[in-house]
């Protein structure tokens, strides 16, 4: 791997609007999952402001419609069109329906939706543990289903929203669904976020000849988001106080969406693929979690792990 790239003048405090300033996305089409709240809304806003036609792929279509209407009222006349598509990543049938309904090329796919640390073990109707199913398998099914549309775009970008939480766990291939080990919400979240990064590594390798780039990112520590809706935040505070893990400095939603928008649209990362970014630059590797508040674990970028995950995921979703 080449030396980490750090586009300038972007950094930890950069906002999505600053990243997209001067970028023209007219004629481009984008899909942002989980775009009814948090950084998904700001990602959709920035891409549309630059002229892209953006589909908000959301579990609650009514909530998505309200967000779209609000954005339309705030965006300039030159903005791209906004539309809403129903997508429940825990329900494989809605993923198939979304894919079947997509027509024409797709230039930008932002796999942004997610769930974090539900306290109790929950399984999907197919029997998969919820976080692995939603955060990884649903997005895997979506991206592979949309692969022909991405290939038709001649230069498509896939953005996979991971997290520093990937440092909690590699993908435990022999027990991704917690059938043999006790369920833990944080190692479960961790392996799903590792899977998000490994997906980008796998897609970068498999789809390079189609002109598709794929990268993963850590958006930052953002309080104003629905990601933590299942999480016991008092427990999180106690774990931080006890030194179980550390949190990076806080960000606003506008700052949290910046790295997603950078990877989705900025010319500064043209051609970059299979990498993991944070604070609008490529992350440094870390050797152990400890109290790390940044960086990427080597197991999350390992090509063999990516290939194994891809094969497993194909078997599970097809």
């Amino acid at each position: 791997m080449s030396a980490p790239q750090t586009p300038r003048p972007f950094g930890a405090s950069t906002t999505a609007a600053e990243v997209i300033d001067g970028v023209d996305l007219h004629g481009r089409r984008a899909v942002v999952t989980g775009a009814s709240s948090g950084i998904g809304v700001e990602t959709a806003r920035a891409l549309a402001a630059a002229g892209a036609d953006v589909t908000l792929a959301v579990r609650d279509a009514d909530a998505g419609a309200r967000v779209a209407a609000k954005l339309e009222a705030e965006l300039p006349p030159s903005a791209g069109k906004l539309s809403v598509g129903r997508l429940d990543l825990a329900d494989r049938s809605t993923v198939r329906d979304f894919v079947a309904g997509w027509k024409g090329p797709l230039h930008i796919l932002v796999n942004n939706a997610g769930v974090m640390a539900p306290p109790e073990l929950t399984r999907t109707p197919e029997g998969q543990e919820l976080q692995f199913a939603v955060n990884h398998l649903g997005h895997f099914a979506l991206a592979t289903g949309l692969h022909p549309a991405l290939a038709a775009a001649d230069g498509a970008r896939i953005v996979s929203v991971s997290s520093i939480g990937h440092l909690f766990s590699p993908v435990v291939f022999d027990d991704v669904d917690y059938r043999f080990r006790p369920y833990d919400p944080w190692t479960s979240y961790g392996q799903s976020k590792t899977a998000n990064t490994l997906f980008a590594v796998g897609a970068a390798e498999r789809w390079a000849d189609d002109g598709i780039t794929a990268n993963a990112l850590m958006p930052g520590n953002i309080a104003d988001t629905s990601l933590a809706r299942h999480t016991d935040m008092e427990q999180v505070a106690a774990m931080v106080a006890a030194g179980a893990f550390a949190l990076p400095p806080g960000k606003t939603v506008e700052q949290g969406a910046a790295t997603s928008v950078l990877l989705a649209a900025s010319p500064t990362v043209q051609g970059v693929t299979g990498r993991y970014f944070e604070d609008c630059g490529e992350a440094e590797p870390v050797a152990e979690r400890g109290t790390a508040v940044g960086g990427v674990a080597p197991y999350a970028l390992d090509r063999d792990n990516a290939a194994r995950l891809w094969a497993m995921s194909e078997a599970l979703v097809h």
Side-chain angles (χ1 to χ4, degrees):
M1 178 180 292
S2 62
Q5 299 186 18
T6 307
R8 297 299 181 193
F10 305 140
S13 62
T14 301
T15 65
E18 290 168 339
V19 169
I20 208 70
D21 184 41
V23 176
D24 184 0
L25 296 179
H26 287 92
R28 308 283 183 89
R29 304 169 75 204
V31 168
V32 181
T33 71
S36 59
S37 64
I39 64 171
V41 174
E42 294 308 313
T43 301
R45 181 199 305 274
L47 297 178
D53 293 337
V54 182
T55 298
L56 284 58
V58 296
R59 188 165 47 90
D60 184 339
D62 290 337
R66 289 192 293 272
V67 168
K70 184 174 185 295
L71 289 177
E72 285 171 346
E74 297 168 349
L75 286 165
S78 60
K81 296 178 181 178
L82 294 172
S83 58
V84 177
R86 183 167 183 272
L87 180 74
D88 183 346
L89 293 164
D91 182 347
R92 209 73 52 74
S93 67
T94 72
V95 179
R96 288 192 295 266
D97 290 345
F98 187 93
V99 169
W102 187 267
K103 307 300 179 187
L106 174 61
H107 303 84
I108 299 166
L109 172 61
V110 184
N111 290 331
N112 167 82
V115 60
M116 182 173 74
E120 302 295 332
L121 173 62
T122 306
R123 300 192 190 280
T124 65
E126 290 82 12
Q128 266 85 54
E129 186 277 320
L130 182 66
Q131 293 189 84
F132 191 75
V134 170
N135 297 348
H136 169 61
L137 288 176
H139 280 128
F140 179 86
L142 178 68
T144 53
L146 290 172
H147 173 250
L150 292 161
D154 189 23
R157 298 189 188 191
I158 300 174
V159 179
S160 187
V161 179
S162 181
S163 169
I164 192 176
H166 82 275
L167 298 180
F168 283 123
S169 179
V171 175
V172 181
F173 288 101
D174 293 325
D175 192 23
V176 294
D177 293 318
Y178 288 82
R179 298 191 180 279
F180 296 93
R181 53 187 170 138
Y183 174 73
D184 176 79
W186 291 107
T187 60
S188 171
Y189 180 67
Q191 79 161 358
S192 75
K193 295 287 103 180
T194 293
N196 289 154
T197 302
L198 289 173
F199 165 75
V201 173
E205 190 155 316
R206 280 163 180 76
W207 296 345
D209 288 345
D210 299 313
I212 298 169
T213 60
N215 293 284
L217 71 117
M218 156 63 171
N221 174 19
I222 306 141
D224 187 15
T225 172
S226 66
L227 177 66
R229 61 188 178 276
H230 300 294
T231 307
D232 183 342
M233 297 311 293
E234 291 184 1
Q235 179 192 46
V236 172
M239 292 171 69
V240 172
F245 65 89
L247 291 173
K251 288 188 178 185
T252 66
V253 176
E254 293 82 5
Q255 292 168 336
T259 308
S260 294
V261 173
L262 177 99
L263 294 173
S266 176
T268 64
V269 292
Q270 181 71 34
V272 175
T273 192
R275 313 286 181 84
Y276 175 96
F277 279 66
E278 62 190 4
D279 296 338
C280 293
E282 193 177 348
E284 298 279 0
V286 294
E288 62 180 328
R289 188 178 86 209
T291 56
V293 293
V296 59
Y299 56 69
L301 294 173
D302 185 90
R303 290 184 176 184
D304 291 339
N305 288 345
R308 186 176 182 185
L309 178 67
W310 197 282
M312 170 190 281
S313 304
E314 283 188 326
L316 290 171
V317 305
H318 296 307

